[in-house]
Amino acid sequence: MVKKASSAGEKAVAKYLARSAEPETSLAGKFAGDFGDVLVVPAYGEVETFLATLGSVASSERGDVLVILVLNARSDSPDEVHESNETLRRRLASDLPAATPVGEEGSLSYPLERGRLLLIERATPGRYLPAGQGIGLARKIGFDLALALRQAGRIASPWISSTDADTILPRDYFDRTKGVDPDAIGAAIYPFEHRFADEPRLAEAGRLYEISLRYYVLGLEWAGSPYAYHSMGSCLAIPAVSY
């Protein structure tokens, strides 16, 4: 059973969806299914890494999992990004069961063993992201659709989960939010670690980057900042009402 938000929360969500949400929220009424959890994944020129991410998506005790893939690019994106996006389309078509069109803008719904993959198409002529936009808008598109589905009573979890198309998720991924009160917490950040390349110079660069991320947060904590946490979209879960 889906837990209802407070009256004030419902009004805030309805107001946001009516005034500020992206047009892709209209897709909520164009494919079937109820889901236990939802995961938003922007992808930009990523093939093998996204397929690995998809393969790591855990089952959920709440029910089937909806993975919202926002495939995105701009008209001025490098050729290799457009080519990679097309390769990903072909791989999904060959590796997954037959897709069902959703709406009239190229979005597709693929059945998965433990749920469904919804590909939102924002990487073709007429559907490109605007100039200067990127992963932030792509993530917002996915979150807005997830919020609309939650508001319609089709997502059981109060959490909208978010990761990137180069992330391997733990097997208890969706279980970790069960002990967190979504009425008291505005967002949850998963712990993370990077996997480093075999090539020594690339591995060193990766380690220095991760050290910089952790050093920055430790510095904020030392200074007494209320913002001493990692703000990484790949490790984020937000209660629908807080979003």
Side-chain angles (χ1 to χ4, degrees):
M1 178 180 296
V2 173
K3 179 182 176 182
K4 283 290 186 179
S6 67
S7 177
E10 288 183 347
K11 289 181 180 178
V13 170
K15 182 178 178 180
Y16 174 84
L17 289 172
R19 297 185 180 183
S20 304
E22 301 301 318
E24 283 79 5
T25 54
S26 65
L27 297 177
K30 297 179 180 178
F31 70 100
D34 295 328
F35 305 92
D37 276 278
V38 60
L39 175 66
V40 175
V41 189
Y44 176 82
E46 296 158 297
V47 180
E48 298 300 333
T49 56
F50 171 73
L51 294 173
T53 297
L54 183 63
S56 75
V57 174
S59 59
S60 168
E61 293 183 0
R62 299 183 181 104
D64 286 346
V65 174
L66 174 64
V67 180
I68 300 177
L69 167 64
V70 185
L71 188 64
N72 67 96
R74 297 178 303 275
S75 61
D76 62 349
S77 293
D79 290 342
E80 55 265 30
V81 169
H82 295 297
E83 293 167 1
S84 181
N85 284 344
E86 179 57 30
T87 299
L88 179 55
R89 293 186 192 95
R90 291 197 300 267
R91 287 289 302 275
L92 293 175
S94 64
D95 294 356
L96 298 179
T100 301
V102 179
E104 300 177 355
E105 303 294 346
S107 296
L108 299 169
S109 173
Y110 292 90
L112 300 174
E113 182 180 352
R114 299 181 296 271
R116 187 160 293 275
L117 170 67
L118 179 64
L119 186 157
I120 297 181
E121 184 60 76
R122 291 304 304 266
T124 54
R127 297 292 299 162
Y128 289 131
L129 297 184
Q133 296 285 357
I135 192 171
L137 176 57
R139 204 181 303 277
K140 180 179 185 296
I141 289 168
F143 264 79
D144 285 356
L145 176 55
L147 181 65
L149 290 165
R150 168 69 182 178
Q151 181 76 347
R154 296 176 56 193
I155 305 291
S157 175
W159 297 88
I160 300 174
S161 300
S162 170
T163 194
D164 286 344
D166 60 353
T167 304
I168 302 299
L169 304 177
R171 302 313 302 170
D172 62 346
Y173 179 76
F174 294 112
D175 294 336
R176 295 191 182 190
T177 54
K178 286 184 176 179
V180 184
D181 183 359
D183 295 325
I185 300 296
I189 302 293
Y190 288 85
F192 68 91
E193 62 180 4
H194 287 88
R195 295 184 174 183
F196 303 113
D198 293 331
E199 202 281 313
R201 292 182 64 187
L202 292 177
E204 181 183 14
R207 290 187 175 92
L208 289 173
Y209 172 68
E210 180 159 328
I211 288 170
S212 72
L213 293 176
R214 300 189 185 282
Y215 184 83
Y216 177 72
V217 172
L218 288 171
L220 290 174
E221 184 176 359
W222 177 82
S225 171
Y227 303 107
Y229 51 79
H230 295 283
S231 54
M232 299 179 65
S234 60
C235 305
L236 185 65
I238 302 177
V241 173
S242 295
Y243 171 73

